[in-house]
């Protein structure tokens, strides 16, 4: 028969244990095994006063932020509401049923104040990375690098040409504008004004890199270990190729300095195959460049390309298919290029002239100062380990897809380069925690209740 819920007298006491109501295989229960914030208070101690009213526990704020980024809840107001209602969130944040949830304004005050001044979010990221290292998820041999464009919180219609951008420094300026102007003042040399500048977030880059209409954006740069796809470092830059490539050097050096890990090979796409970057990898860091060479010298019209000329390192010259030399004066051009020229007399009666230099009196070949490093990359491109590396590069692309689709970070909420750095660090921390939960915690019959990793 049909049952009915009886409404009786409300009991005076409840026997309720929050621990019993969080499923054993819940994502947060698995993540909690690997999140240790025991050193957070010591890290932040210099930034708090020894007197006065006690503040909200910073460990509580960090745990709430991790909940938000793990489940794609990026509105701090909504995050406070969800933690108030969700038992699993309360359990992870060490809140009992009777404990009050901090106000959403507390996050802004701490994020722009103590957390940013003490680099707390990077501290938490590196503590999680240390746990990944301790659990054996980092091989330390192959690293992969890539960047992904994330839209800035800036209206694409509210921009001005870079040469027209100006602010009254005597008036009250927003935080992103102040940070942008301070960065300009601190720059060692003046830079060319950008094509378009946002008045609300001037550090964001006007870009159409993903295709389609241009918009303001930042790039999140990931350096990952290819063994388990653990993120070793993350760096926020304007969405510009030069900034992304330069961020690679910063991250590789930082990982080597802080964790004493240097890869045997570095995997990247063609954007990282410039002569300068390859020279840095091969000559300075002794890292194998598993990167396609950025090369525009090869011809596609059937005429003789540079690969048809033999390089003689000892003689410092090229040899054409007919065995004639091409020599240089030894003085590089402004872009660190040496020009090797053949003799006009050798080319005049050559039977291959129509295929080699039909419109000039002699043949010229440009050789980068770092051409030897480019040759190393070209030789590696034909090896089996290079083919394996191209498959491993997909791991970083999968992390970007996870970042945008599961963590819902396809548009920033915080403005300025520092705001982008905060968001990217929190997202990378959440991804590493989820990675450990997926690789190290056994999944039982209740696995279906956990959010996909």
């Amino acid at each position: 028969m049909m049952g009915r819920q009886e409404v009786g007298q409300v009991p005076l006491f409840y026997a309720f244990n929050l621990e019993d109501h969080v499923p054993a295989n819940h994502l947060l229960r698995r993540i909690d095994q690997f999140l240790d914030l025991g050193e957070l208070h010591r890290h932040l101690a210099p930034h708090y006063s020894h007197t006065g009213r006690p503040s909200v526990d910073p460990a509580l704020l960090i745990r709430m932020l991790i909940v938000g980024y793990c489940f794609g809840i990026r509105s701090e107001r909504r995050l406070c509401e969800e933690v108030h209602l969700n038992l699993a969130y309360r359990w992870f944040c060490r809140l009992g049923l009777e404990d009050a949830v901090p106000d959403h304004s507390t996050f802004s005050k701490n994020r722009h104040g103590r957390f940013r001044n003490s680099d707390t979010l990077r501290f938490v990221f590196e503590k999680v990375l240390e746990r990944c290292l301790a659990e054996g998820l980092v091989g330390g041999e192959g690293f992969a690098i890539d960047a992904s464009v994330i839209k800035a919180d800036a209206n694409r219609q509210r921009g001005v040409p870079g040469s027209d951008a100006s602010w009254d420094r005597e008036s009250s300026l927003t935080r992103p504008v102040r940070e942008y102007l301070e960065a300009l003042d601190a720059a060692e040399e003046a830079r060319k004004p950008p094509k378009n500048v946002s008045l609300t977030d001037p550090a964001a880059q006007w870009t159409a890199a993903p295709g389609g209409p241009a918009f303001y954006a930042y790039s999140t740069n990931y350096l990952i270990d290819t063994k388990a796809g653990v993120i070793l470092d993350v760096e926020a830059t304007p969405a510009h190729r030069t900034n992304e490539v330069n961020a690679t050097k910063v991250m590789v050096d930082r990982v080597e300095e802080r964790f004493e890990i240097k890869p045997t090979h570095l995997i990247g796409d063609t954007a990282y195959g410039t002569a300068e970057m390859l020279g840095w990898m091969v000559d300075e860091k002794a890292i194998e460049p598993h990167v396609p060479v950025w090369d525009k010298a090869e011809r596609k019209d059937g005429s003789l390309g540079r690969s048809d000329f033999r390089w003689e390192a000892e003689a410092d010259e090229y040899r054409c298919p007919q065995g004639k030399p091409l020599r240089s004066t030894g003085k590089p051009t402004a872009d660190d290029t040496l020009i090797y020229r053949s003799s006009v007399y050798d080319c005049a009666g050559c039977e291959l002239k129509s295929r080699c230099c039909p419109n000039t009196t002699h043949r010229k070949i440009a050789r980068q100062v770092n051409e030897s490093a480019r040759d190393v990359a070209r030789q590696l491109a034909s090896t089996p380990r290079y083919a394996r590396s191209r498959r491993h590069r997909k791991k970083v692309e999968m992390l970007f897809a996870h970042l945008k689709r599961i963590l819902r970070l396809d548009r920033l909420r915080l403005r300025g380069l520092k705001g982008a750095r905060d968001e990217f660090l929190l997202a990378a921390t959440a991804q590493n925690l989820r990675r450990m939960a997926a690789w190290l915690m056994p999944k039982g019959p209740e696995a279906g209740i956990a959010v996909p990793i």
Side-chain angles (χ1 to χ4, degrees), residues 171-333:
S171 63
S172 177
L173 300 175
T174 62
R175 183 180 290 106
V177 173
R178 288 201 310 270
E179 293 173 354
Y180 175 74
L181 295 177
E182 289 170 0
L184 288 181
D185 294 339
E188 296 181 357
E189 57 184 29
R191 66 185 181 94
K192 182 181 177 181
K195 180 179 179 180
N196 203 306
V197 172
S198 168
L199 296 177
T200 53
D201 191 355
Q205 180 75 34
W206 179 252
T207 180
F215 55 89
Y216 295 106
Y218 290 94
S219 287
T220 176
N221 299 269
Y222 275 6
L223 179 70
I224 73 162
D225 183 88
T226 57
K227 178 180 179 180
V230 170
I231 303 169
L232 297 174
D233 206 352
V234 57
E235 185 74 10
T237 63
H240 191 272
R241 179 173 292 162
T242 302
N243 298 107
E244 295 169 358
V245 173
N246 291 337
T248 303
K249 301 179 182 179
V250 174
M251 291 189 289
V252 171
D253 288 340
R254 186 161 50 202
V255 170
E256 182 179 6
E257 176 187 352
R258 300 192 182 183
F259 300 99
E260 298 182 353
I261 302 175
K262 191 181 79 170
T264 59
H265 59 274
L266 183 62
I267 309 166
D269 58 22
T270 310
Y272 303 91
T274 61
E276 180 186 359
M277 188 65 188
L278 292 173
W280 176 80
M281 282 190 240
V282 175
D283 300 328
E284 293 188 33
K285 305 300 292 185
I287 298 173
E288 284 189 358
H290 290 201
V291 179
V293 177
W294 181 280
D295 192 354
K296 296 183 177 181
E298 292 301 321
R299 302 182 178 183
K300 300 180 180 180
D301 57 359
S303 59
L304 298 180
R306 184 167 55 188
S307 59
D308 296 308
F309 292 74
R310 187 176 74 256
W311 170 246
E312 299 287 349
E314 294 183 0
D316 188 25
E317 64 183 24
Y318 279 97
R319 288 280 177 172
C320 75
Q322 297 287 56
K324 302 298 182 179
L326 286 78
R327 297 190 176 98
S328 169
T329 62
K331 296 181 179 180
T333 61

Side-chain angles (χ1 to χ4, degrees), residues 437-449:
W439 277 63
L440 303 174
M441 295 297 292
K443 299 180 180 65
E446 297 179 346
I449 62 174

Side-chain angles (χ1 to χ4, degrees), residues 22-42:
V22 180
N25 210 31
H26 194 281
L27 176 63
L28 288 180
R29 188 180 284 278
R30 292 188 281 146
I31 283 178
D32 189 62
Q33 303 289 322
F34 308 105
L35 180 63
D36 182 7
L37 299 177
E39 298 183 26
L40 180 63
H41 293 87
R42 180 180 58 80

Side-chain angles (χ1 to χ4, degrees), residues 67-100:
V67 168
Y69 278 80
C70 278
F71 292 92
I73 308 171
R74 299 181 44 244
S75 165
E76 289 158 0
R77 187 185 297 270
R78 182 174 162 233
L79 175 62
C80 293
E81 296 174 354
E82 293 292 335
V83 172
H84 176 73
L85 296 172
N86 192 297
L87 295 180
Y89 296 175
R90 278 185 170 271
W91 173 87
F92 182 78
C93 295
R94 307 295 191 262
L95 292 172
L97 289 177
E98 70 286 352
D99 293 329

